[in-house]
């Protein structure tokens, strides 16, 4: 039987047409008409005052750290169960990640543990919406407001998902999304910074354009452009934006299809959960996900590793996920934990992600479920 890959980047159909159109228009640098279309789409769909395309979610997080003026020794609260970029973006500015444990139902930062992790040097609270399942944003924003600490959403996996009906990425002062080829909507590499705090918009444009006021110049607001602040080059080429536009046009169909596969897994795995062989995800009712990841929890680390090896040798490419950052060499060097992280440590050793990509058939899902049934026995 052919192998069932873990992921296969989806092509919506018009990518090459749009790349050709952008190429022939001879506007190849950033911020042309495709970039503007993508940004307007993000502003409309997420409901944020300003979206800026970046070349990755990592870049958008780096911009967030710059915009919040994170300085050496400033502490930034975040989960340990996340991708390295969540932490690295702030460590690059001398920030100290303070790792907070996660909730067992969402695998997101546990809002009940945030308050006690805050200190006089806390500069930001960074939340991650794992698997496109929203964090408890109302409670988290309330803590931030009360203590005057901005909230940043790492919504890399969260595009078009919602918490209590509101799109992820629209809650915090800043949000970051990813269009990496492993995400729901993709342009190979790519991302965007979502700016919900309007006072940060103008400076974000400057940071992204090498520290110049080029954006104001293009709008005719200044008659020459010059170096006005620190900055770097965070904007993607029009070629990339053209590719991305083909994906954004199909975004709701893409999410629907992924949710369909997610539900197929969820239904088919109910008997294995009843038999006590594994646990299925149990996102809270407030979280409307985008079907980014389907995972199960095996009883312990040995069962997970054994099941994963058997699945892979049966040609079904399941995967584990993050090595917790607090246990990694760089995490130990640059960060610290806010108390013990028992949920993070257990989840990291028990979690197994199943193949989920558009183009998978009901037979593929059935094959993965059967393989899991025999592998987990
Ligand atoms: C994918 C991902 C990133 C990084 O996204 P890039 O676009 O590859 O930089 C950051 N955080 C999380 C939670 C992710 O899943």
């Amino acid at each position: 039987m052919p192998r069932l890959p873990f992921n296969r980047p989806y092509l919506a159909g018009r990518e090459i047409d749009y790349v050709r159109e952008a190429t022939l228009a001879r506007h190849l640098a950033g911020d042309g008409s495709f970039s503007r279309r993508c940004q307007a789409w993000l502003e409309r769909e997420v409901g944020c005052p300003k979206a800026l395309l970046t070349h990755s979610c990592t870049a958008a997080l780096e911009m967030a750290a710059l915009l919040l003026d994170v300085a050496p020794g400033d502490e930034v609260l975040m989960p340990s169960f996340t991708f390295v970029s969540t932490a690295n973006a702030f460590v690059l500015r001398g920030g100290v990640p303070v790792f907070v444990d996660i909730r067992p139902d969402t695998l997101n930062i546990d809002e009940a543990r945030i308050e006690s992790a805050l200190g006089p040097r806390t500069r930001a609270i960074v939340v991650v919406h794992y698997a496109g399942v929203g964090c408890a944003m109302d409670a988290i924003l309330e803590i931030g407001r009360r203590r005057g600490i901005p909230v940043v959403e790492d919504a890399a996996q969260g595009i078009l998902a919602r918490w209590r009906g509101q799109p992820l990425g629209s809650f915090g002062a800043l949000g970051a999304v990813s269009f990496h080829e492993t995400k729901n909507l993709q342009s190979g590499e790519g991302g965007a910074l979502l700016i919900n705090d309007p006072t940060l918009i103008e400076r974000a444009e400057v940071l992204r354009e090498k520290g110049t006021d080029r954006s104001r110049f293009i709008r005719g607001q200044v008659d020459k452009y010059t170096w006005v602040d620190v900055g770097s080059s965070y904007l993607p080429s029009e070629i990339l934006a053209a590719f991305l536009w083909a994906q954004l046009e199909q975004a709701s169909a893409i999410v629907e299809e992924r949710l369909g596969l997610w539900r197929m897994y969820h239904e088919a795995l109910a008997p294995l959960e009843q038999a006590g062989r594994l646990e299925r995800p149990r996102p809270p009712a407030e979280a409307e996900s985008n079907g980014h990841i389907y995972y199960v929890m095996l009883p312990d680390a040995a069962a997970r590793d054994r099941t994963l090896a058997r699945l892979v040798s049966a040609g079904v490419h399941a995967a584990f996920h993050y090595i917790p950052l607090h246990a990694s060499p760089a995490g130990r060097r640059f960060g610290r934990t806010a108390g013990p992280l028992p949920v993070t440590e257990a989840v990291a050793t028990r979690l197994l992600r199943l193949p989920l990509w558009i183009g998978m058939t009901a037979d593929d899902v059935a094959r993965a479920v059967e393989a899991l049934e025999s592998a987990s026995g």
Side-chain angles (χ1 to χ4, degrees):
M1 235 192 279
R3 68 185 269 276
L4 182 60
F6 176 69
N7 180 52
R8 187 159 180 261
Y10 175 65
L11 294 178
R14 305 203 62 183
E15 285 85 351
I16 292 170
D17 293 342
Y18 292 154
V19 165
R20 182 183 162 80
E21 193 181 321
T23 306
L24 296 179
R26 312 244 172 175
H27 183 135
L28 302 169
D31 282 344
S33 69
F34 280 108
S35 298
R36 282 196 296 275
R37 263 183 267 181
C38 292
Q39 290 174 175
W41 184 93
L42 285 164
E43 288 158 11
R44 191 175 68 242
E45 295 298 322
V46 177
C48 66
K50 186 76 194 169
L52 294 172
L53 290 189
T54 56
H55 47 74
S56 62
C57 178
T58 302
L61 290 165
E62 288 180 16
M63 286 182 69
L66 281 164
L67 280 166
L68 297 179
D69 288 320
V70 171
D74 283 351
E75 294 187 340
V76 182
L77 266 52
M78 64 181 70
S80 170
F81 189 69
T82 183
F83 187 62
V84 292
S85 295
T86 316
N88 242 340
F90 296 89
V91 169
L92 274 172
R93 311 253 63 81
V96 177
V98 175
F99 299 115
V100 178
D101 209 5
I102 53 176
R103 278 168 54 156
D105 58 344
T106 58
L107 314 191
N108 292 333
I109 193 165
D110 186 342
E111 65 278 10
R113 293 174 188 277
I114 289 178
E115 196 102 47
S116 63
L118 296 171
R121 295 222 59 180
T122 309
R123 191 71 200 85
I125 301 168
V126 183
V127 304
V128 178
H129 305 295
Y130 183 73
V133 171
C135 299
M137 289 315 296
D138 19 28
I140 294 167
L141 288 184
E142 170 54 27
I143 297 169
R145 247 191 311 269
R146 205 159 2 96
R147 305 285 291 253
I149 297 169
V151 174
V152 176
E153 296 175 76
D154 179 341
Q157 305 173 15
I159 192 75
L160 297 184
R162 291 164 185 268
W163 174 261
R164 292 211 160 114
Q166 186 179 329
L168 304 185
S170 68
F171 291 93
L174 297 161
V177 297
S178 174
F179 301 119
H180 186 263
E181 74 165 37
T182 53
K183 302 302 200 288
N184 284 17
L185 307 174
Q186 62 96 17
S187 54
E189 304 280 350
L193 179 69
L194 309 174
I195 307 161
N196 300 308
D197 176 348
T199 66
L200 299 175
I201 293 175
E202 196 157 300
R203 185 151 184 250
E205 291 176 337
V206 168
L207 296 179
R208 178 168 167 271
E209 269 286 16
K210 299 91 179 167
T212 71
D213 55 358
R214 185 165 185 275
S215 301
R216 259 176 285 169
F217 173 70
I218 287 169
R219 286 196 293 266
Q221 293 164 331
V222 288
D223 58 9
K224 56 184 178 350
Y225 86 87
T226 186
W227 185 21
V228 294
D229 201 342
V230 296
S232 188
S233 184
Y234 289 118
L235 70 170
S237 146
E238 270 292 283
I239 302 290
L240 206 70
F243 187 105
L244 180 62
W245 179 242
Q247 299 261 319
L248 299 189
E249 275 189 329
Q250 300 294 322
S252 50
I254 289 172
V255 170
E256 273 316 302
E257 186 135 355
R258 294 191 72 99
L259 283 170
L261 292 163
W262 196 100
R263 290 191 201 105
M264 251 186 250
Y265 270 127
H266 204 61
E267 233 168 85
L269 288 168
L272 283 184
E273 184 173 56
Q274 273 145 25
R277 302 257 295 272
L278 51 78
E279 285 165 33
R280 298 180 301 162
R282 43 191 167 99
E286 300 97 320
E288 210 178 297
S289 103
N290 57 11
H292 180 56
I293 291 174
Y294 195 87
Y295 65 81
V296 295
M297 295 287 176
L298 278 298
D300 55 38
R304 195 278 304 271
D305 293 347
R306 189 172 60 235
T307 304
L308 181 56
R310 286 180 185 164
L311 280 173
V312 172
S313 62
V316 173
H317 284 253
F320 55 90
H321 214 174
Y322 308 122
I323 310 290
L325 297 184
H326 74 279
S328 68
R332 278 201 290 260
R333 185 161 143 221
F334 296 118
R336 66 175 181 83
T337 58
L341 309 180
V343 182
T344 301
E345 284 170 5
V347 157
T349 60
R350 294 176 53 210
L351 181 135
L352 183 114
R353 292 179 294 159
L354 294 168
L356 200 168
W357 39 270
I358 294 182
M360 264 181 82
T361 61
D363 285 348
D364 291 330
V365 173
R367 178 181 162 201
V369 168
E370 275 164 37
L372 182 55
E373 186 167 7
S374 42
S376 66

